[in-house]
Amino acid sequence: MHPEAKVTKQVSPFFAFFIVTVMQVGVGIFTLPRTMIVDAGHDGWIAIVFSAVLVSIIIRIIYAMLNKGDTIITIQNKVFGKTLGSFISLFWVFYYSLFVLITLVAYVEILNVWIFPEVSLWVLYLICMLLAYNYTTSGFRAIIGGSLLAVLFVLPFLFFSHLPQGQLHFGSLFPIFDHSLHEMWLSTKTMTFQFLGFEILLMAYPFIKQAPRSHKWAQIGLVFSMIIYLIAFILPVIYFHERHLLTIIWPTLTLWKMEYIGMSIWLLVLLPNMAFGLWSASRVVKQTFNLSQRHSLRGVTLVIFGCALLFTTRIEIQSLSAFTNRLGFYTIFIYIPILFLLQALIIKRRRL
Amino acid sequence: MVTGCSPQSHYIEDIQYLQAMGFDYIDGEVQANGTTTIFMPVAESLPQSETINVSREDLEDLYSHMQAESSRYVDTSRSRVHLFHQDLAANEGIFGVIDTIQRNPMINQNLKIAMTRGPTKDILNEEYPFHLTVHEYLVELIELNQAEQLPIVDFQDFLYQYYAEGADPFLPLLEKAQNRVDVVGIALFKEDKYIEELSLDKTHVFRKLIDETEEGTINIDIDESRGFALHHLSSSPDWTIKQDADGIYVKVNVNIQGPLREARNINVSKPATIQQLEELAARDFEKQMEEIVHFFQENEIDPIGIGERIGQKVRNFDIKRWEKEEYPNLNVDINVNFTIENTGAVV
């Protein structure tokens, strides 16, 4: 029943790299050093690596699942039946939209504090959402193109950081593993939020040519984001004192030599990021309810814009990201493996 | 509608850049002074300076009160130097001001900070020969002296040491002379309060314990008629911390090398003499360094950051307790290796 994606709309397998990277390295990188240091302190980098290993396993599971199904929607319909499957698909609309919302809100908050204190929030929300909407209407391949540009041109800007000789305290990284396993686990949980976004693959899979071959590229994308996160974590840790770092909301920005330019250019990373989210959310609606994707996209965009207006203070934004964090964690590490097992069971039973 | 949404714009000719700030403590009240620069729209004209003084108890609306003194838009993003009066640092502490600066993303965080003996107002109001503006003069003064004899410390270093449990901050100490400003040493802090000062000679030795240095001069007198001096000394400290059953053992190896530039009544052509001089210089440094460490221990401050260094080596180390109970009696093993690289252009 699902519409087979046309070859003209597909992309080569290695673009899975850009999908994964651009989705993972989003707006979270600016707060990453502080959130990681809360529990695991200077050992946060271990949590980053550990978290990446866990996510790598999940990506493997997702590919194993998609190789036998096509998108998360068809899999759910097969496993739970049409009615319940469609109902659960609604969750994915919510899930993808939530990620667009948190990116939008977190980015606009930075813009508001650092660059445009005089501009009211809704103006910034409107500009970002309009751009993301335009991006999405140009189609999947256009978003892929955008993410390629973002990875190649924008991420290198991160290297223009303050690295004054004599002010880097490499000793701050020692002693290694000075925190309890429990603290490490808490940090690993926090870190998974940063690695989320690759779930777009659950919808984008049919749009990749010879999709099973793109698994390798998705894993390379994960390793690439992990390296970027490691750099983004270690630099502030050796520059600021740990107790000082805890008080800085966006350490990456404070350390960045070109924070004003960089922050504006960062929109180029976030646009494909949000566009992928919008695209997936509207795609789920289309596949489940046979609505035109253009209409559902408009609906989703409007709802996200409306919700964004409700978030104005730091505490609200923090609780939103904490909620997203928890939801993402359970979806990825509990729901996806269970779905995978159920799918395997059903396929086995059919063969018998 | 578009103009209504766009942020305020400012033209460079209309902006008064706040570039050097000073905080005084007069009759129990904080007084802030700012030196501003105005770029004149006339071609080939030099930027002009003006000093604004405001006395405010709370620093939060300091900038709006600065604005009230000027007809032009006062821009804080380009400030380069912040000075603190000794009385303020000793009575109230300076973290209040520092925190306001770090909280404001519109202020460049790449700042120099220093403490002054007299009121900062006197320093900021003076005109200095050969220099266009006061802030340039102060920045260059501090930067050059940090290359030559002061330990390198700026805004970020102060914050690092302030937040660190096992280290205490220090700042360059400035004093106003006729029409110039002198660097007289460093001011030592406990948390954010000024405690003691270290003279320039001792500062010179002190920085060899914490920084890798490239420049510097040392003069050693053997007796009244004989002595020698060395220039361009480069040095690097190497801290070793070991934990065994008896407790924590702290050792520092300092390697110093440099060329001999001055020898008064000494024949330096013999290698044996050079060796003797090296030995002499090494013992001299060791003695001075030990004195400095004892001086810190007596005052219960740790500008070297020994506690911090131990914390990076020893697991589950309670820095706070250690600084209180064991630091004052800690025995630091200081060892200096001195190498005279050459004797200059003559034998």
Side-chain angles (χ1 to χ4, degrees), chain B residues 127-196:
Chain B
E127 281 192 17
Y128 300 96
F130 310 120
H131 285 275
L132 297 177
T133 55
V134 181
H135 85 274
E136 269 178 39
Y137 174 73
L138 291 171
V139 168
E140 275 172 30
L141 178 82
I142 296 171
E143 273 180 358
L144 269 175
N145 276 290
Q146 283 186 339
E148 196 63 42
Q149 48 205 349
L150 289 178
I152 294 167
V153 49
D154 66 8
F155 186 64
Q156 280 303 336
D157 294 301
F158 182 88
L159 281 171
Y160 187 94
Q161 287 157 338
Y162 172 78
Y163 279 104
E165 279 177 327
D168 292 307
F170 51 87
L171 290 181
L173 181 60
L174 307 180
E175 189 175 30
K176 173 100 180 3
Q178 280 295 319
N179 57 352
R180 59 168 206 277
V181 177
D182 289 342
V183 177
V184 287
I186 55 172
L188 305 169
F189 287 73
K190 176 102 188 159
E191 312 241 292
D192 65 335
K193 284 214 169 97
Y194 166 69
I195 295 279
E196 261 292 351

Side-chain angles (χ1 to χ4, degrees), chain B residues 21 23 32 54 56 58-66:
Chain B
M21 294 270 284
F23 297 90
V54 274
R56 287 297 306 163
D58 53 335
L59 300 156
E60 272 169 28
D61 49 349
L62 176 77
Y63 294 111
S64 56
H65 281 264
M66 292 242 156

Side-chain angles (χ1 to χ4, degrees), chain A residues 112-120 122-123 126 162 165-167 169-179 237-245 247-248 254 259-260, chain B residues 1 5-8 10 77 102-103 105-110 152-157 159-166 211-212 308 310-317 320:
Chain A
N112 187 250
V113 172
W114 284 76
I115 313 184
F116 304 120
E118 310 100 331
V119 180
S120 35
W122 69 268
V123 179
L126 186 70
H162 274 293
Q165 247 256 307
Q167 289 188 338
H169 311 261
F170 287 98
S172 301
L173 290 171
F174 296 96
I176 292 171
F177 224 109
D178 199 24
H179 294 79
V237 169
I238 59 179
Y239 187 70
F240 299 108
H241 190 269
E242 210 174 298
R243 290 171 58 200
H244 186 195
L245 194 51
T247 67
I248 307 175
T254 310
E259 66 267 42
Y260 295 112
Chain B
M1 186 204 148
C5 297
S6 70
Q8 246 178 302
H10 297 290
S77 61
Q102 71 157 339
R103 196 169 289 279
M106 302 298 167
I107 299 181
N108 188 333
Q109 308 274 301
N110 192 6
I152 294 167
V153 49
D154 66 8
F155 186 64
Q156 280 303 336
D157 294 301
L159 281 171
Y160 187 94
Q161 287 157 338
Y162 172 78
Y163 279 104
E165 279 177 327
D211 285 337
E212 285 195 14
E308 198 63 15
I310 297 176
Q312 291 166 358
K313 284 279 153 63
V314 179
R315 279 168 205 278
N316 301 320
F317 179 63
K320 253 190 188 152

Side-chain angles (χ1 to χ4, degrees), chain A residues 104-137:
Chain A
L104 178 73
V105 169
Y107 181 63
V108 165
E109 191 204 0
I110 298 179
L111 282 186
N112 187 250
V113 172
W114 284 76
I115 313 184
F116 304 120
E118 310 100 331
V119 180
S120 35
L121 290 175
W122 69 268
V123 179
L124 298 172
Y125 285 142
L126 186 70
I127 294 171
C128 291
M129 277 322 275
L130 270 180
L131 283 171
Y133 173 79
N134 261 329
Y135 235 107
T136 320
T137 49

Side-chain angles (χ1 to χ4, degrees), chain A residues 192-262:
Chain A
T192 44
F193 175 55
Q194 309 279 355
F195 280 120
L196 290 183
F198 63 89
E199 310 90 280
I200 298 298
L201 289 170
L202 292 169
M203 291 311 293
Y205 186 82
F207 285 82
I208 302 170
K209 270 183 222 158
Q210 301 161 307
R213 281 182 53 203
S214 67
H215 177 214
K216 175 180 74 185
W217 291 104
Q219 297 284 5
I220 295 176
L222 171 69
V223 172
F224 186 74
S225 343
M226 184 190 77
I227 291 171
I228 287 186
Y229 281 145
L230 281 179
I231 295 171
F233 174 77
I234 289 176
L235 279 188
V237 169
I238 59 179
Y239 187 70
F240 299 108
H241 190 269
E242 210 174 298
R243 290 171 58 200
H244 186 195
L245 194 51
L246 275 173
T247 67
I248 307 175
I249 301 173
W250 299 284
T252 314
L253 285 181
T254 310
L255 200 61
W256 218 357
K257 240 179 200 163
M258 39 196 323
E259 66 267 42
Y260 295 112
I261 303 172

Side-chain angles (χ1 to χ4, degrees), chain B residues 257-270:
Chain B
Q257 56 286 115
L260 189 83
R261 277 295 141 82
E262 211 179 290
R264 294 185 296 280
N265 300 328
I266 306 174
N267 181 6
V268 291
S269 58
K270 281 186 234 145

